[in-house]
Amino acid sequence: MFATSAQKATRQSAPGKEAPGVPGWLVALLAVATGMTVANLYYAQPLLSSLSRVFHLSTTAAGALITVTQVGYVIGMLFLVPLGDRLEKRRLITVLLAVTTVALAVAGVATTFPVLLIASLVSGATSVVAQILVPFAASLAPDHARGRVVGRVMSGLLTGILLSRTLSSLVSDVAGWRYVYLGSAVLMALLAVALRVALPQHAPTISMPYGQVLRSTVRLVRTHPALRRRGLYQAAMFGGFSAFWTTVSFVLTGPRFHYSPIGVALFALVGAAGAAVAPLAGHWADRKLVRPMTAAAFGTAAVGFAVAGFGGHHIVLLALAAVLIDMAVQTTMILGQHTVYQLDPDARARLNSAFIAIFFTGGALGSQLGSLAYHAAGWTAVSALGALLPLLALAYWVTELRQPRPLTAN
């Protein structure tokens, strides 16, 4: 029944034609699916203290698990997501989720840290299903509502990022860290079945060989200055975001706060409030406010990290910082995707591949630099690093004002 109603609403999603509308239940399913899959990248963040004890690692070495997982995601963005333009999307999504299920199961039974790293690399690479679903939603949506549809789907993505820490902390506190991975493996298997049944078929928009698909993705980066610019904006923002959430668990479980895993989980729930800005960001995009709201988001992130610097001794300030940072990152992500998707309707998967690969590289660097900064000089250094990155993006944004208006299409 689901498949039939979706197919009627999308007319089989013929390439180059916009659907008249997207059913609300389908938008909700896509939001939940993106959140569930992207959560695989972040389950380990609140577990780093436990994993460092189990595998006898330093905090810096344990932080490498987050970096490796995000590197896997970048690899998947570069080599798997472009296939969303080349292959039938529903089949591609099902295969990737099956591989994710196996990788998470291996992570759950890993007895050595290298095995956990390899399994996390694979699960990170195949969890790019989230970034196949987002351009899928953009293709289904009519022009006048695309920002809002993408915003709603992306709200699921950010909610998944943030609630993954809560779920991970709770499960590990009750049953141990292995069940975090094993439980996610079960969820991925169920999600594969649900999406296979519910998603409409979506015809490929290109028929070129795989090698040409990859080369065309590189050409898109060279051809579209807006793609490069928005990718670098988001790399700076996501670098700060990753530095914050990779290290804040050390602060919360440290001598100042003495939080248990459940306490860390509750803190992550506070940060999830940042997802509420997603529909607003989509509305701003549809109203052609991309440029001013991008600058506002950079400023908000910098203020958030300044507040975080004082929050090392005050939990209320730390929670406020988390909300401000998450809101800012969510805003720039949605504004960026809205801009990128307008560049070429027949290349949305490849455009999204390049966009996400650029900024997740920043996220991977941010995770590692955040761990190094915390190890070297504590929370103050992490806060300074986090504030610097959006300020650099803001300085780059100033140069955009000298560019012609079509650069961002808004």
Side-chain angles (χ1 to χ4, degrees), residues 65 68 103 106 113-124:
L65 180 63
V68 166
V106 171
F113 193 62
V115 172
L116 181 59
L117 284 177
I118 294 171
S120 297
L121 180 71
V122 174
S123 67

Side-chain angles (χ1 to χ4, degrees), residues 362-380:
L365 290 173
S367 293
Q368 196 62 28
L369 290 174
S371 295
L372 292 172
Y374 185 82
H375 183 73
W379 182 246
T380 300

Side-chain angles (χ1 to χ4, degrees), residues 268-293:
L269 277 177
V270 173
V277 78
L280 284 175
H283 182 65
W284 295 330
D286 288 334
R287 292 187 61 195
K288 303 188 182 302
L289 297 173
V290 169
R291 275 184 173 173
M293 296 314 298

Side-chain angles (χ1 to χ4, degrees), residues 174-212:
V174 172
W177 68 269
R178 294 185 184 279
Y179 285 91
V180 174
Y181 291 100
L182 295 175
S184 182
V186 173
L187 289 177
M188 291 302 101
L190 294 174
L191 183 61
V193 174
L195 291 177
R196 179 69 182 180
V197 170
L199 289 181
Q201 289 186 343
H202 196 282
T205 57
I206 57 173
S207 59
M208 63 182 70
Y210 178 64
Q212 290 185 26

Side-chain angles (χ1 to χ4, degrees), residues 134-287:
V134 175
F136 195 163
S139 297
L140 299 178
D143 289 339
H144 69 275
R146 183 167 295 115
R148 276 165 285 176
V149 170
V150 171
R152 288 168 188 153
V153 175
M154 289 298 296
S155 69
L157 186 141
L158 185 61
T159 301
I161 291 175
L162 297 172
L163 293 186
S164 63
R165 302 177 179 92
T166 302
L167 180 62
S168 176
S169 297
L170 292 174
V171 172
S172 65
D173 192 55
V174 172
W177 68 269
R178 294 185 184 279
Y179 285 91
V180 174
Y181 291 100
L182 295 175
S184 182
V186 173
L187 289 177
M188 291 302 101
L190 294 174
L191 183 61
V193 174
L195 291 177
R196 179 69 182 180
V197 170
L199 289 181
Q201 289 186 343
H202 196 282
T205 57
I206 57 173
S207 59
M208 63 182 70
Y210 178 64
Q212 290 185 26
V213 171
L214 298 182
R215 288 192 292 272
S216 70
T217 304
V218 175
R219 281 198 301 273
L220 289 170
V221 176
R222 293 200 304 262
T223 303
H224 297 293
L227 173 59
R228 299 192 299 270
R229 180 178 287 272
R230 297 304 312 196
L232 291 174
Y233 286 167
Q234 199 62 25
M237 294 291 280
F238 204 61
F241 176 92
S242 297
F244 180 91
W245 285 105
T246 297
T247 56
V248 74
S249 63
F250 296 130
V251 177
L252 295 174
T253 58
R256 174 62 61 176
F257 298 112
H258 298 288
Y259 272 30
S260 67
I262 292 179
V264 175
L266 293 175
F267 181 85
L269 277 177
V270 173
V277 78
L280 284 175
H283 182 65
W284 295 330
D286 288 334
R287 292 187 61 195

Side-chain angles (χ1 to χ4, degrees), residues 28-41:
L29 175 62
L30 292 170
V32 171
T34 57
M36 287 175 62
T37 51
V38 81
N40 295 325
L41 306 180

